[in-house]
Amino acid sequence: MNWAQILFNSAVTGSLYLISAVALTLVYGLARFPNFAHAEIMALGGFIGYFVAEQLGAPLPLAFVFAFAVSGLIGYLSYRGIFKPLADRGASLIHLMVASMALGFILRHSIGEIWGFSPLTFNIVWPAYDVGPLRISLNWLILIFTAVVVGVGLHLVLTKTKIGKAIRATASNPKLALSAGINTTRVLVITWFVSAGLAGIAGLFRGVETRLSPYLGWDILLPTFAVAVLGGIGSFYGAIVAAIIIGLAENIGVVLLSQAGLSTEYRMAIPFVILIVVLIFRPQGLAKAFKGN
């Protein structure tokens, strides 16, 4: 068993979950409801990247820029056009959740109408390198690097900048933050934009690695929810640690399932098995182990 390769693959999986889960938990920390349209925003990011890189022939880095910008714009518009009006009228948690499901349904079928429901693949051949016992692909390195940049960048923003402190204050107590002169609407707009933009990037990474379909986001959303809950709902730092744990467990689990002669499709259950076990002993998740959430 090549444990070095397993650990590296775990870092790749964990990096994808980290980007997606951090984006999901940022919005939850402020809006206080799980955004089920997160899956379709990820899929949209993948297809926007496909349009830019494959249909327009532009460089792939530009595809990531457009995936972030367009997905972020959808996040902004959904907050301004749907979730803020509902919240202003006292919508309950279930109302907001159903609205996010409806938005996801509309986005999914709009993507299908534009690009079709049949899977699409990127015509990109990534160079791969043998480094000792490791087989490393360039796109995996870029994904890990991006996850590190996202994690470190958001940490610095949340702890060192005025907007980051405003986000933390709004997440902690919105009414107190508003009375202290913080423009909470501006904070929410920025957070929704950044969250959706990161979701779009996660979707594009997934699409480049595998293939694109309007249902792409659901393959990532389910373990992403497990990561977000395991880390502690709304906890940025907990999500980072949970992404590493889930990524590691999923890759080791695939190996053990193969050795036991079982279907590797059971890997989808691994994050939730870990989640259930941890929540039995620590219902709040990993959040309280970290300061500054």
Side-chain angles (χ1 to χ4, degrees), residues 110-187:
S110 298
I111 292 170
E113 289 297 327
I114 296 171
W115 285 283
F117 288 91
S118 299
L120 298 174
T121 56
F122 282 82
N123 296 312
I124 299 172
V125 179
W126 294 92
Y129 312 96
D130 291 318
V131 182
L134 289 178
R135 183 70 173 170
I136 299 174
S137 175
L138 180 59
N139 63 323
W140 294 350
L141 290 177
I142 295 174
L143 173 56
I144 293 172
F145 175 76
T146 303
V148 171
V149 170
V150 168
V152 174
L154 284 178
H155 166 72
L156 293 176
V157 168
L158 290 174
T159 57
K160 304 294 183 184
T161 67
K162 188 175 179 180
I163 183 63
K165 293 173 182 175
I167 290 173
R168 293 168 61 193
T170 305
S172 176
N173 191 325
K175 292 182 180 178
L176 187 60
L178 186 62
S179 65
I182 294 175
N183 186 337
T184 55
T185 298
R186 177 170 170 265
V187 168

Side-chain angles (χ1 to χ4, degrees), residues 35 166 265:
N35 178 21
E265 291 300 315

Side-chain angles (χ1 to χ4, degrees), residues 6-276:
I6 292 172
L7 290 174
F8 182 77
N9 293 346
S10 300
V12 174
T13 306
S15 296
L16 181 66
Y17 293 162
L18 186 154
I19 298 171
S20 177
V22 163
L24 185 69
T25 205
L26 275 177
V27 160
Y28 185 90
L30 294 177
R32 300 296 182 191
F33 77 95
N35 178 21
F36 284 97
H38 197 70
E40 282 71 23
I41 294 176
M42 282 191 277
L44 177 66
F47 278 96
I48 292 297
Y50 180 87
F51 173 73
V52 173
E54 297 290 344
Q55 295 180 293
L56 296 183
L60 190 60
L62 196 60
F64 277 93
V65 173
F66 273 87
F68 180 87
V70 176
S71 300
L73 179 62
I74 293 297
Y76 166 80
L77 293 175
S78 64
Y79 170 69
R80 279 292 196 183
I82 300 174
F83 300 114
K84 186 176 187 304
L86 285 173
D88 289 346
R89 287 161 176 78
S92 66
L93 173 65
I94 191 67
H95 291 148
L96 295 170
M97 288 171 58
V98 170
S100 72
M101 292 177 188
L103 174 63
F105 181 83
I106 293 169
L107 286 176
R108 188 189 319 145
H109 284 270
S110 298
I111 292 170
E113 289 297 327
I114 296 171
W115 285 283
F117 288 91
S118 299
L120 298 174
T121 56
F122 282 82
N123 296 312
I124 299 172
V125 179
W126 294 92
Y129 312 96
D130 291 318
V131 182
L134 289 178
R135 183 70 173 170
I136 299 174
S137 175
L138 180 59
N139 63 323
W140 294 350
L141 290 177
I142 295 174
L143 173 56
I144 293 172
F145 175 76
T146 303
V148 171
V149 170
V150 168
V152 174
L154 284 178
H155 166 72
L156 293 176
V157 168
L158 290 174
T159 57
K160 304 294 183 184
T161 67
K162 188 175 179 180
I163 183 63
K165 293 173 182 175
I167 290 173
R168 293 168 61 193
T170 305
S172 176
N173 191 325
K175 292 182 180 178
L176 187 60
L178 186 62
S179 65
I182 294 175
N183 186 337
T184 55
T185 298
R186 177 170 170 265
V187 168
L188 278 159
V189 164
I190 292 173
T191 303
W192 273 88
F193 182 89
V194 172
S195 171
L198 291 176
I201 287 179
L204 180 51
F205 270 118
R206 184 69 162 194
V208 169
E209 185 182 356
T210 56
R211 58 184 183 177
L212 289 168
S213 89
Y215 302 95
L216 170 146
W218 281 94
D219 290 340
I220 316 173
L221 185 66
L222 294 178
T224 293
F225 268 127
V227 167
V229 176
L230 179 64
I233 297 295
S235 169
F236 166 70
Y237 300 104
I240 292 176
V241 175
I244 296 171
I245 293 173
I246 294 294
L248 191 63
E250 195 171 305
N251 281 276
I252 293 176
V254 167
V255 174
L256 296 178
L257 286 169
S258 298
Q259 290 182 341
L262 298 173
S263 170
T264 56
E265 291 300 315
Y266 281 115
R267 76 183 190 283
M268 297 297 291
I270 293 173
F272 296 96
V273 172
I274 295 172
L275 178 63
I276 291 170

